Amino acid sequence: MSIENGAAPDARGPLSDLRVVEMGQLLAGPFCGQLLGDFGAEVIKLESPGAGDPMRQWGREKPHGKSLWWPVVARNKKSVTCNLRTPEGQDLARRIIAQADIVVENFRPGTLERWGLDFDRLRETNPGLVLVRVSGFGQSGPYAPRAGYGSIGEAMGGIRYVTGDPDKAPSRAGISLGDSLAAVFATIGTLVAVHHRTRTGRGQIVDSAIYEAVLAMMESLLPEWAVAGYQRERTGSVLPNVSPSNVYPTASGEMILIAANQDTVFTRLAKTMGRPELSDDPRYAGHAARGQNMAELDELISAWSAGIETGELLETLHASGVPAGRIYTARDMFEDPHFAARDAIVRLAHPDFGELPMHNAFPKLSESPGSVRHPGPGLGEHNQEVYGGLLDLHKDEIAALSERGIV
């Protein structure tokens, strides 16, 4: 794929008429800003002078001493430095917000209020403003003032308790799941609020709490306990009473996933294994029976799969209509033809890294798709554009503000 340096005017995206001011740092709020920017919104990120968002330094690998995470989470954004802890910086922020559609922030509740950037004051000059507030526990309730990281929200929302092996401590996903879920729900709320504004002319607050975003994904966890007295527990790689749906060995020394828990699919798997009688066996002839005999059935499938090379096994399963697949690493994604055919990975020009790949904008829209137009910007890269253009400040004024540590 060719390296992309920018987007043509007709490819700005369906949200290109929206201006977003992003405040806050690290992941939950900025990921919401990233999603809006992917679909064309103008995202002006306000960062502290000198240091900027700590995400500029985060990441396990830092070639050239720079984060590989920052170009992703800050893609499509404009960076403007603004010291929000000073009256002058707060005034600049209010002036920018007066000309914005959306503000995204993920400070601890009460911070905006201390800075004179509370919703009631902001909407005096901008009644249609949508204020998106992402926090650990939400803007109300007894826990609202607490510091809330994603890991705490994952624990409180229920996902940590049911993740991992039953004989070990609760585990975590290898990504910042709680922060990301809160950002996705914040984005949904933002789009709903913007739609409501088109009908009423009024803005509103979108309140996305990390623990509630996790809770929203917990399926029937609550009624299972309240009605049936059943507490979900950690079950490792399997789902209780759902079989076969597990990882199985191959002759290549790999593990693949096979999901054949539906009756018709299990019948196809049994035929593919050369054991069509299994689908009529009382131990396996039905969803409930297979769930009760999960361990025994997994042993049968493992003994069969372990004798076949991975590629051949997957081709056979796919040809038979049995869902199966490798457990991908990043290397697998780069080599997979399906990723390539769907442009799941986009490559951008980066001043330090050269060609920089990352996941593309998602979901895909047939008429108004999103796009990744540029990687994360340098700190204060757009000061002149925003302060000089949007606020009409003279370059000497901007220089003076910079000297005083305001921008």
Side-chain angles (χ1 to χ4, degrees):
M1 184 181 298
S2 61
I3 299 176
E4 298 182 9
N5 289 295
D10 60 352
R12 293 177 301 166
L15 303 182
S16 60
D17 59 331
L18 297 178
R19 176 175 291 136
V20 179
V21 176
E22 179 191 299
M23 299 187 288
Q25 56 191 24
L26 298 178
L27 192 56
F31 186 37
C32 175
Q34 176 199 318
L35 296 175
L36 295 170
D38 281 355
F39 286 90
E42 178 191 16
V43 181
I44 300 173
K45 180 174 180 63
L46 303 186
E47 300 186 74
S48 297
D53 192 323
M55 286 299 296
R56 291 181 176 273
Q57 306 300 323
W58 278 36
R60 297 177 182 175
E61 299 295 328
K62 294 194 289 186
H64 309 286
K66 297 189 175 183
S67 168
L68 288 168
W69 199 346
W70 172 257
V72 179
V73 74
R75 67 193 194 186
N76 296 329
K77 299 179 185 178
K78 297 176 180 179
S79 173
V80 171
T81 52
C82 183
N83 189 342
L84 294 172
R85 291 169 174 80
T86 65
E88 297 95 329
Q90 295 158 10
D91 181 65
L92 289 172
R94 279 190 290 270
R95 293 171 64 184
I96 296 173
I97 292 169
Q99 302 182 62
D101 299 280
I102 300 160
V103 170
V104 178
E105 65 95 6
N106 66 327
F107 299 113
R108 192 182 299 192
T111 302
L112 288 190
E113 286 75 9
R114 290 197 306 271
W115 290 344
L117 298 172
D118 54 280
F119 183 60
D120 286 340
R121 181 167 180 179
L122 294 177
R123 65 178 175 179
E124 288 176 359
T125 55
N126 190 347
L129 182 69
V130 173
L131 176 59
V132 184
R133 314 196 71 172
V134 188
S135 61
F137 306 103
Q139 302 298 311
S140 60
Y143 301 164
R146 295 181 180 178
Y149 271 27
S151 58
I152 308 303
E154 291 167 19
M156 186 174 171
I159 191 68
R160 286 291 184 104
Y161 186 82
V162 299
T163 302
D165 294 317
D167 58 342
K168 297 180 181 178
S171 188
R172 73 179 296 274
I175 58 170
S176 302
L177 184 64
D179 288 295
S180 298
L181 286 174
V184 170
F185 280 105
T187 304
I188 295 171
T190 301
L191 298 177
V192 171
V194 170
H195 180 70
H196 177 264
R197 187 182 66 180
T198 63
R199 300 170 60 190
T200 67
R202 298 192 304 273
Q204 61 182 300
I205 297 173
V206 177
D207 182 354
S208 180
I210 295 174
Y211 89 95
E212 286 176 320
V214 174
L215 180 63
M217 304 301 294
M218 295 309 297
E219 300 173 347
S220 55
L221 179 87
L222 295 178
E224 285 170 359
W225 170 254
V227 178
Y230 173 73
Q231 171 62 57
R232 290 197 189 190
E233 301 289 345
R234 293 181 291 285
T235 59
S237 64
V238 303
L239 286 174
N241 302 319
V242 177
S243 180
S245 182
N246 206 342
V247 292
Y248 302 93
T250 74
S252 306
E254 297 180 88
M255 300 291 290
I256 68 166
L257 278 165
I258 300 176
N261 47 286
Q262 188 177 351
D263 288 349
T264 55
V265 181
F266 178 69
T267 298
R268 295 198 292 267
L269 174 62
K271 290 180 180 178
T272 303
M273 294 170 60
R275 301 285 304 277
E277 72 279 4
L278 291 177
S279 60
D280 296 320
D281 190 315
R283 294 171 296 173
Y284 315 123
H287 179 80
R290 289 192 299 275
Q292 293 172 0
N293 296 283
M294 175 186 295
E296 182 179 339
L297 183 55
D298 279 345
E299 288 180 4
L300 288 174
I301 298 171
S302 294
W304 168 72
S305 66
I308 308 173
E309 183 271 332
T310 302
E312 179 185 351
L313 177 58
L314 287 172
E315 288 181 8
T316 300
L317 290 167
H318 295 159
S320 300
V322 177
R326 284 185 169 90
I327 302 170
Y328 275 19
T329 65
R331 175 183 294 179
D332 298 319
M333 297 174 189
F334 281 111
E335 296 175 351
D336 189 282
H338 193 76
F339 277 68
R342 286 179 56 82
D343 293 327
I345 298 173
V346 63
R347 291 171 169 81
L348 305 167
H350 190 278
D352 297 309
F353 306 128
E355 182 179 275
L356 182 68
M358 63 182 71
H359 55 274
N360 209 342
F362 183 81
K364 298 181 181 296
L365 278 68
S366 62
E367 294 294 327
S368 53
S371 65
V372 185
R373 299 173 296 284
H374 60 78
L379 182 61
E381 182 177 329
H382 301 90
N383 279 6
Q384 185 61 49
E385 176 184 335
V386 174
Y387 290 132
L390 187 63
L391 299 191
D392 198 27
L393 297 183
H394 190 274
K395 63 180 181 180
D396 292 341
E397 293 180 86
I398 301 172
L401 289 168
S402 179
E403 289 177 5
R404 294 163 51 207
I406 307 302
V407 304

